[in-house]
Amino acid sequence: MTERGTGTAVSDNAPEKPPGRGRRWRRRLTIALAVVLLAAAGLYVGNSSTLAGTPPGGPFLLAHRGLAQTFDLAGVTNDTCTAERIHPPEHPYLENTLASMRAAFAAGADLVEFDVQVTRDGRLAVFHDATLQCRTDGTGTVGDHTLAELRGLDLGYGYTSDGGRTFPFRGKGVGLLPTVEEVLAEFPDRELLIHLKVEGAAEGEALADLLAPLPRQRRDTLTVYGGDQAVGTFAARLPDVRVTSKKIMQDCMVAYLAVGWTGHVPDACRHRQLHLPQRYGRLMWGWPNRFVSRMREADTRVIVVNGSGGFSEGFDDADDVDAIPAGWTGGVWTNRIDVVAPLLGR
């Protein structure tokens, strides 16, 4: 006779768990975790600059607009006249002039950047702003004027560091606007970065026309950047010249983020120049030194730009230099080559 309420009958009929089932599940989980950890370790070892050690050599220095007057970046927009807010001058040079480029190379620059626009008579003038009235005593755009007219302007007319009470460079910039031909002739064996300031196919064609007759050895010392259309037109004509633009850099970074963990450099990143803000560079596989080495093997140069890269932020003082990645052998963008070069042992 079976007693009711004791649960004995139910207990006797309950199915038993298969022996070892829990152990097999734990074993599979352990193997899966081990695989994940090994994969993570492999990614770390393959992309760690720390384990790779410090490469030999130091950074190369890019002097933006030569040796130029710097200005307060706070609140700057595309329409801000930066000549009206310069810091108190510490040197006598005006941006994008031959004198400023000579001074930059003399101070230790490896590469000098300058800006290019096409004049009304089809010449390639070296000038930055979209309009003339901020820095000069002229009006309109570079494209509104002939080269001869632009030569007559005072490039230092609008500079002031005290709200317009004094103009320390007024009257000192007449006749200083150079052409691309003059820059190339002045620095026949130096590295130059040419910035196409106006976005259009005509600008790319004009620069390609000028550079095409140069020997390949000379073109190897030149890099061109600017808007996507202007650079794309130029690159289609002269694919041997290293180029970059916003689209080129985006295409490279997207492709590299997808496959760079393997150490492979995609075709989109080959024979380019990358101007990478430091805060975004940290996202790249192998940052900083393995990344630079991989790009160098693909004939691509990496220039680190300060902050987010807005409005040509450079590494311009001692605090900025301290923020450059340890052992960095890529390029450094600076607006004060005279200050930064000695800090980096030049």
Side-chain angles (χ1 to χ4, degrees):
M1 180 178 236
T2 302
E3 295 184 7
R4 295 181 180 181
T6 63
T8 304
V10 175
S11 174
D12 290 343
N13 294 326
E16 295 181 3
K17 292 182 180 180
R21 184 176 179 181
R23 289 195 297 273
R24 286 197 300 271
W25 183 86
R26 287 193 295 272
R27 187 182 303 116
R28 289 171 183 168
L29 179 60
T30 300
I31 292 172
L33 287 173
V35 170
V36 170
L37 289 173
L38 284 173
L43 284 175
Y44 175 75
V45 171
N47 291 281
S48 170
S49 284
T50 302
L51 293 180
T54 302
F60 61 93
L61 306 182
L62 185 157
H64 180 225
R65 306 187 205 173
L67 183 52
Q69 300 299 319
T70 57
F71 51 86
D72 186 0
L73 287 169
V76 170
T77 69
N78 288 328
D79 298 323
T80 301
C81 176
T82 56
E84 294 177 349
R85 55 189 299 161
I86 62 169
H87 297 128
E90 297 179 353
H91 61 75
Y93 301 105
L94 297 173
E95 65 178 50
N96 281 315
T97 61
L98 293 178
S100 76
M101 297 179 204
R102 289 189 208 103
F105 280 126
D110 300 296
L111 174 67
V112 163
E113 185 265 5
F114 62 92
D115 304 297
V116 175
Q117 301 186 48
V118 179
T119 67
R120 194 177 76 203
D121 51 346
R123 303 295 299 278
L124 285 165
V126 179
F127 191 78
H128 175 272
D129 291 2
T131 59
L132 299 169
Q133 47 264 36
C134 170
R135 297 179 196 283
T136 81
D137 51 349
T139 58
T141 68
V142 168
D144 294 332
H145 298 270
T146 66
L147 178 63
E149 291 168 345
L150 294 167
R151 299 270 208 198
L153 298 179
D154 180 3
L155 299 185
Y157 187 84
Y159 285 83
T160 180
S161 62
D162 54 14
R165 290 189 295 274
T166 61
F167 293 87
F169 298 105
R170 186 165 288 184
K172 299 178 181 179
V174 179
L176 295 187
L177 185 144
T179 63
V180 175
E181 296 98 319
E182 290 167 339
V183 175
L184 294 174
E186 181 74 18
F187 308 105
D189 57 353
R190 301 307 300 258
E191 295 263 1
L192 299 168
L193 173 60
I194 304 172
H195 188 183
L196 289 167
K197 289 299 296 183
V198 178
E199 170 66 315
E203 280 62 36
E205 290 283 1
L207 184 60
D209 287 341
L210 178 64
L211 301 187
L214 298 177
R216 174 66 183 267
Q217 184 177 5
R218 178 53 170 146
R219 292 204 302 268
D220 286 345
T221 67
L222 306 176
T223 302
V224 174
Y225 82 117
D228 296 329
Q229 184 180 18
V231 171
T233 300
F234 173 87
R237 288 276 310 278
L238 294 178
D240 59 296
V241 177
R242 186 183 287 110
V243 296
T244 195
S245 70
K246 183 176 181 180
K247 183 178 185 303
I248 287 171
M249 288 190 281
Q250 287 177 338
D251 289 348
C252 168
M253 294 299 97
V254 170
Y256 183 78
L257 283 171
V259 302
W261 60 274
T262 67
H264 173 68
V265 177
D267 289 343
C269 296
R270 296 183 180 275
H271 193 52
R272 302 301 191 197
Q273 181 159 298
L274 306 177
H275 300 161
L276 263 186
Q278 182 170 228
R279 66 176 59 176
Y280 302 131
R282 298 189 185 104
L283 302 175
M284 298 297 108
W285 295 105
W287 182 264
N289 298 322
R290 280 190 191 266
F291 176 75
V292 171
S293 296
R294 289 170 181 172
M295 291 298 160
R296 185 178 291 122
E297 290 173 2
D299 193 30
T300 287
R301 294 194 302 197
V302 182
I303 313 290
V304 67
V305 182
N306 204 3
S308 63
F311 298 101
S312 302
E313 293 176 68
F315 294 87
D316 298 337
D317 57 32
D319 290 338
D320 292 339
V321 167
D322 287 342
I324 296 172
W328 181 254
T329 59
V332 173
W333 185 290
T334 181
N335 300 295
R336 286 301 303 269
I337 186 66
D338 56 326
V339 172
V340 169
L343 293 173
L344 292 174
R346 297 296 182 87

